Amino acid sequence: QPQLVESGGGLVQPGGSLRLSCVASGFTFSRYGMSWVRQVPGKGLEWVSFIDRDFGSISYADSVKDRFTISRDSAKNMVYLQMDSLKPEDTAVYYCAKDWIPTAWGQGTQVTVSS
C-alpha cells in the first residue's frame, strides 16, 4: 500500500522559510500527481498545492500562491514544498498526499510560525 513520510517541519519566525520533503513508496510514483495539505487543530484539512505527473500542471491555494513552491523528483520518489515568507496563519501540520483528492497521506510534519 502507498506510504508517505514527511519531514522538514519546525519552528520559524514570520517571514522565514522552510523546505518540506516527502518520500513515497508502495506505488509507481511517477504515474501519480501529488498534493500537500495542512490541518490546523480544530479545523478541517486545507488543500495547499498539487503537482501532476512529470511535465504536468501545478496548482496552489490562493493563500500560499507566490510564497510556496511545489516540486518533485520522480527518480527519487520525492516531493517537496518550499515555503517562503511564512505567516503565523501557516502554522499547521502539513501532510504529503497522493492524488489531487488524496487517496493516501503520511503522518505529517508540524510547522509553527511564531515570533
Side-chain angles (χ1 to χ4, degrees):
Q1 60 180 349
Q3 293 185 354
L4 304 166
V5 181
E6 303 92 340
S7 63
L11 175 64
V12 65
Q13 292 186 335
S17 297
L18 286 172
R19 180 177 173 87
L20 306 184
S21 299
C22 171
V23 59
S25 62
F27 63 100
T28 305
F29 179 78
S30 63
R31 296 178 65 182
Y32 293 86
M34 298 292 293
S35 296
W36 287 95
V37 299
R38 64 188 183 185
Q39 185 171 38
V40 177
K43 301 289 186 179
L45 289 172
E46 178 189 13
W47 174 80
V48 174
S49 186
F50 171 79
I51 184 167
D52 209 341
R53 293 177 290 176
D54 288 353
F55 309 108
S57 298
I58 291 174
S59 299
Y60 299 96
D62 287 343
S63 59
V64 306
K65 185 170 59 178
D66 300 322
R67 298 189 298 117
F68 290 11
T69 304
I70 191 170
S71 61
R72 67 187 296 160
D73 184 342
S74 292
K76 298 180 179 180
N77 286 9
M78 298 285 290
V79 60
Y80 307 94
L81 187 68
Q82 177 68 42
M83 305 186 296
D84 299 319
S85 301
L86 283 161
K87 304 175 180 179
E89 51 262 45
D90 294 318
T91 296
V93 178
Y94 284 72
Y95 298 92
C96 178
K98 175 177 174 285
D99 295 315
W100 176 286
I101 301 174
T103 57
W105 57 92
Q107 295 297 307
T109 185
Q110 176 71 48
V111 172
T112 302
V113 185
S114 177
S115 61

